[in-house]
Amino acid sequence: MNWNLQTFFDPIFDGNEYTEYKSGKSGWSQNKYEERLDRLVSVIKELDADIIVMEEIEKEAQLQEISNRLSGTFDFSQLYRHGLFARDKNSSIGCALLSRFPIGEISVHSLEIRSKRHQPAMRPVVQVSVHAKDKSLTLFINHWKSKSGGEEESEIWRERQESQLAELMLKAARKNNALLAIGDFNKDISEFNLQFSARSEVSASSAKTNVILRGKENIAVYSPWILENGSFSIPGSYWYKSQWERIDHFFAAGPVIIRDFCAENLGEWADSEGHPERYQVWKGKGYSDHLPITCTVEF
């Protein structure tokens, strides 16, 4: 499961929060935070994924609070006993993972670009291996630069992040690892380089591929958003200006197959029309402006 939680700050005011969470005057409070935690946990329980990736969470300590609320079972196989959190020093929010499976090597890849352009705060790519029985799946957790400030102006940074991800995945794929890139890419599937039945030297052992991630060297990957007839799965994961966007992704490469992909819009976190129930601080209502996406992975 992947879910952008939409500015999931804790109730402690550190000064780095977004404006609507800056102080008690904003309406943000301990009670509202506790309510958001309870809602998040209710969704996690309902979707019951083995691995949960989250964007826009503020602190590592929040993972412990989420885990505590999920721990009411005597079935150890259902507990989320493993986790990680990563945030760039200049960022207010980061990315996190909870897993029922043990995690192995962890690498955090920050991007520093020295040019005439001022580099905005960007989140690192978190590379982590997850071990299920005697097999390993390498995850790449992403949260790319948003389009705030202008789509064209910000595209250069998403291009740099795509190049970084392609390089990291290519290096891992040459070891014949099963790979899955996950996260909020702030880039619709239609904006990627689509190439059906594409092949590369590192994707021959995987199922079909349909997207080329571009970098110094390209890598062919598979996106479940793209249907057999070339159309896109409905619904998307983000509802913007009265239309669906598909900006949250799973990209697979190597000996791995994605099955049962779904943008989850049949639950309390979506409205009667299946659109995300955006969280509103002043009301203390809602969940997130993104839908969670889920899939089954075979490797």
Side-chain angles (χ1 to χ4, degrees):
M1 166 182 159
N2 180 82
W3 201 8
N4 181 318
L5 301 181
Q6 189 200 331
T7 58
F8 204 94
F9 288 101
D10 71 5
I12 301 169
F13 302 117
D14 300 307
N16 66 329
E17 294 85 4
Y18 292 175
T19 302
E20 61 265 40
Y21 296 87
K22 280 285 187 184
S23 69
K25 294 179 180 178
S26 67
W28 185 234
S29 65
Q30 179 72 38
N31 287 340
K32 287 183 178 179
Y33 174 67
E34 297 284 341
E35 289 173 0
R36 281 202 83 178
L37 273 179
D38 289 340
R39 287 183 204 140
L40 171 59
V41 169
S42 72
V43 178
I44 292 174
K45 287 181 177 179
E46 182 166 345
L47 296 182
D48 194 30
D50 293 315
I51 298 171
I52 301 160
V53 174
M54 296 168 281
E55 295 84 51
E56 297 202 10
I57 191 167
E58 184 186 13
K59 294 176 184 172
E60 182 178 2
Q62 292 172 280
L63 288 185
Q64 188 65 54
E65 294 176 313
I66 295 167
S67 296
N68 287 343
R69 284 168 163 76
L70 291 166
S71 62
T73 176
F74 292 103
D75 184 351
F76 289 153
S77 67
Q78 297 301 300
L79 295 177
Y80 296 94
R81 293 186 287 175
H82 313 278
L84 65 83
F85 172 81
R87 186 182 77 180
D88 189 84
K89 62 181 179 180
N90 297 319
S91 181
S92 299
I93 48 180
C95 299
L97 174 144
L98 287 174
S99 175
R100 289 172 174 157
F101 300 116
I103 58 179
E105 289 186 52
I106 302 170
S107 301
V108 180
H109 305 277
S110 294
L111 191 62
E112 182 178 354
I113 302 168
R114 298 184 179 182
S115 68
K116 294 181 180 179
R117 290 175 178 263
H118 173 69
Q119 179 179 329
M122 295 193 291
R123 296 92 182 182
V125 177
V126 183
Q127 180 176 344
V128 55
S129 59
V130 178
H131 303 292
K133 296 183 179 178
D134 59 343
K135 295 185 177 181
S136 178
L137 176 67
T138 302
L139 306 178
F140 298 86
I141 301 171
N142 297 260
H143 188 187
W144 289 5
K145 178 71 179 71
S146 74
K147 294 179 180 178
S148 62
E151 182 175 345
E152 291 185 8
E153 293 81 357
S154 60
E155 178 61 20
I156 184 175
W157 305 112
R158 287 186 294 280
E159 288 176 353
R160 298 293 181 92
Q161 289 173 300
E162 181 175 346
S163 179
Q164 179 191 34
L165 177 60
E167 181 179 345
L168 293 171
M169 292 186 75
L170 193 61
K171 184 177 179 180
R174 283 175 172 152
K175 299 177 182 178
N176 201 37
N177 293 341
L179 312 177
L180 189 68
I182 305 173
D184 175 5
F185 292 72
N186 276 303
K187 187 168 182 173
D188 190 84
I189 187 60
S190 63
E191 298 176 275
F192 284 89
N193 184 4
L194 307 185
Q195 189 169 333
F196 300 99
S197 300
R199 293 289 173 182
S200 75
E201 61 173 299
V202 296
S203 66
S205 59
S206 71
K208 59 195 172 186
T209 58
N210 51 22
V211 173
I212 299 294
L213 294 180
R214 293 175 289 193
K216 292 180 180 178
E217 293 184 75
N218 298 337
I219 181 169
V221 298
Y222 173 75
S223 168
W225 281 119
I226 305 170
L227 303 177
E228 290 289 339
N229 62 5
S231 63
F232 301 127
S233 177
I234 297 174
S237 61
Y238 187 66
W239 182 251
Y240 183 67
K241 292 186 177 179
S242 299
Q243 64 181 8
W244 283 113
E245 294 189 359
R246 299 160 181 84
I247 59 176
D248 303 282
H249 298 284
F250 299 119
F251 291 120
V256 60
I257 299 173
I258 296 178
R259 302 195 187 280
D260 303 322
F261 170 73
C262 182
E264 303 282 356
N265 73 334
L266 298 177
E268 57 196 9
W269 55 91
D271 64 21
S272 59
E273 296 181 333
H275 303 143
E277 283 279 19
R278 180 186 181 91
Y279 184 74
Q280 296 175 294
V281 178
W282 65 282
K283 283 186 176 180
K285 303 294 184 181
Y287 289 77
S288 171
D289 53 0
H290 290 244
L291 293 176
I293 59 173
T294 62
C295 71
T296 300
V297 178
E298 296 179 13
F299 59 96

